[in-house]
Amino acid sequence: MVRRALAAAVGVIAGLALMSAPAAATSEPVTKIRFTLNAAQVPAWTNVTGTVVVTAGSGPSTKPFAGASLTMSVDGVAIGPLTTDGQGQAYLAYPMTVEGQHTIRVTFAGDVSHKKAHHDAGFMVTPGEPPPPAPPSPPPPDPSPEPSPEPSPEPSPDPSPEPSPEPSPEPSPTPDPSPPAPPVEGRPGAPTIYLAESPTPGLNYIEWTVPANGGSPITGYRIYRSLESGNEQFLLSKGPLAFSADDVRVVAGTTYYYVVTALNANGESVWSNEVVVTAT
């Protein structure tokens, strides 16, 4: 009888302990990345493109992860950042020049509220031809100088034994410098490069503003580079949604000059402002 009473008491105590135990802490939301390339095979000198979709949560509470800061890399080399929109989506467009099999990785590093995640996708770059460099923009025409005003006739001096000295002519005013060449009608305006830096060793990074499209949607951008000012040559192209570019073929300590142009169905814009970056 005593044993039964003791066992019953132990059961009651155990039940109360279970009822008073705190609930298990909820783990942070699971981050899921879906990354789909538009094509598994692209020719060299064209863009590899794709769509990234990021969600967070667990079970039925999973929803789009807006504002997620992502990083991209090709074969382990960083190629730039991405940020998801309000639907948890981001769009990739990156030019490829090296033939062969490659792997592109999209990574979310994690934060205080979300777990880290990444997704890989493989693709093949087949032989292709680089686009011809755009001809340099013609120099702006010289403005016609304003005609010098006609001097007012001087009154005839009274005759004198000594001839009057000739007055020195006033120099004509120097015309104002020529304004920049206006964009060709129908072509996009010139982008403006507002950020140029070498954030990590072996990488130069530039960002530009999206210009007016000239009445026809922008179809892409071209980046030009040189080792001296005003002599930029074609380096790479970017898709219509791009606003930045990475130059991963740089030598530390070397100074590079960059300009950017925009393209639409009517042609290519004039050059942007020129920026200078010294690689680290």
Side-chain angles (χ1 to χ4, degrees):
M1 189 67 177
V2 173
R3 289 183 180 178
R4 289 183 181 178
L6 181 60
V10 171
V12 170
I13 294 173
L16 291 174
L18 290 174
M19 292 175 62
S20 61
T26 303
S27 62
E28 66 246 7
V30 175
T31 306
K32 294 183 180 179
I33 298 177
R34 289 188 290 114
F35 178 32
T36 305
L37 292 177
N38 293 333
Q41 182 171 293
V42 297
W45 302 98
T46 60
N47 289 339
V48 57
T49 59
T51 303
V52 182
V53 179
V54 185
T55 57
S58 57
S61 62
T62 298
K63 60 183 180 180
F65 187 177
S69 297
L70 311 174
T71 56
M72 298 182 299
S73 62
V74 173
D75 301 333
V77 178
I79 62 174
L82 279 179
T83 303
T84 56
D85 59 18
Q87 303 300 317
Q89 298 182 358
Y91 303 95
L92 162 72
Y94 187 76
M96 293 299 302
T97 58
V98 180
E99 299 173 17
Q101 185 70 36
H102 301 276
T103 299
I104 190 165
R105 169 171 287 192
V106 178
T107 302
F108 174 67
D111 57 28
V112 295
S113 302
H114 303 86
K115 292 182 178 180
K116 63 183 179 180
H118 70 267
H119 190 102
D120 295 343
F123 63 97
M124 174 69 73
V125 177
T126 58
E129 292 293 330
S137 301
D142 293 331
S144 301
E146 297 181 2
S148 302
E150 293 290 334
S152 302
E154 296 289 335
S156 301
D158 293 334
S160 61
E162 295 294 329
S164 299
E166 293 288 337
S168 300
E170 292 293 329
S172 300
T174 302
D176 293 332
S178 304
V184 178
E185 183 177 358
R187 298 184 186 180
T192 298
I193 302 176
Y194 64 89
L195 177 61
E197 60 181 355
S198 183
T200 59
L203 171 68
N204 285 352
Y205 176 75
I206 61 174
E207 284 189 16
W208 58 84
T209 59
V210 177
N213 62 17
S216 179
I218 291 176
T219 58
Y221 297 91
R222 285 180 174 174
I223 295 85
Y224 297 81
R225 184 189 77 175
S226 72
L227 298 178
E228 58 182 15
S229 176
N231 193 33
E232 284 81 0
Q233 302 295 320
F234 176 79
L235 175 65
L236 56 89
S237 61
K238 299 287 285 185
L241 300 178
F243 57 86
S244 65
D246 296 307
D247 183 4
V248 297
R249 293 177 290 177
V250 297
V251 178
T254 302
T255 298
Y256 298 89
Y257 298 79
Y258 297 91
V259 295
V260 178
T261 62
L263 301 108
N264 66 8
N266 298 316
E268 185 173 11
S269 73
V270 297
W271 284 3
S272 70
N273 57 308
E274 182 181 67
V275 295
V276 183
V277 183
T278 300
T280 57

